[in-house]
Amino acid sequence: MKLNKDSLYARSLLLPLTTSTCLVMVGCGGTGSWLAPHIVRLARLLRETHDQQVTGVFWDHDHVEAKNIFRQNFCEAEIGTNKAVALAQRYGHAWGIPIAAVDRPFDRNIATKNEFVPSYSNQRTTVFVTC
């Protein structure tokens, strides 16, 4: 077996010097539900170590079903709840990060409105993570 050395050549992520960051995760199902806690941990890290004003957005139109419980990061109490809302409430409260939930299908027209699109005047970095 050969050792994978990819991480030895990893580079640090260099973000522009801004005062705030918005992390938008599109898709809260099989991959997104497991990635959500890491997105929020990253937001907390940016807030505490780089003095950033950090917000998050979880975006998914689907609802938690019983068949999702064993392969996605949800529990029985969340059945019937929108996936983005369930994850935003759970991790936003746990980590003290404001997480908004968009409970409709992804639409680039909505995503390119002013609240998500970065501009040079507002000193905000917006990062989209698609799952």
Side-chain angles (χ1 to χ4, degrees), residues 59-61 102-107 110:
W59 196 321
D60 199 308
H61 70 285
V102 179
D103 61 352
R104 49 191 156 174
F106 181 76
D107 181 356
I110 296 171

Side-chain angles (χ1 to χ4, degrees), residues 92-130:
H93 290 303
W95 288 92
I97 299 292
I99 306 289
V102 179
D103 61 352
R104 49 191 156 174
F106 181 76
D107 181 356
R108 73 177 185 162
N109 294 325
I110 296 171
T112 57
K113 286 189 177 179
N114 289 337
E115 65 261 18
F116 296 115
V117 175
S119 71
Y120 295 107
S121 63
N122 68 7
Q123 288 294 303
R124 182 180 70 199
T125 300
T126 303
V127 179
F128 281 87
V129 178
T130 57

Side-chain angles (χ1 to χ4, degrees), residues 13-82:
L13 176 64
L14 298 176
L15 295 174
L17 294 175
T18 58
T19 58
S20 68
T21 301
C22 181
L23 302 173
V24 182
M25 184 176 71
V26 180
C28 298
T31 302
S33 64
W34 295 105
L35 185 62
H38 303 288
I39 295 287
V40 179
R41 284 174 188 255
L42 177 62
R44 181 74 178 259
L45 178 72
L46 286 172
R47 185 176 77 181
E48 290 184 0
T49 62
H50 297 291
D51 200 28
Q52 289 267 323
Q53 180 182 7
V54 183
T55 58
V57 178
F58 291 166
W59 196 321
D60 199 308
H61 70 285
D62 200 9
H63 290 79
V64 179
E65 300 176 52
K67 67 181 181 181
N68 302 139
I69 301 301
F70 299 105
R71 60 185 177 81
Q72 297 180 10
N73 194 9
F74 298 104
C75 66
E76 289 181 2
E78 295 169 321
I79 292 175
T81 306
N82 174 270

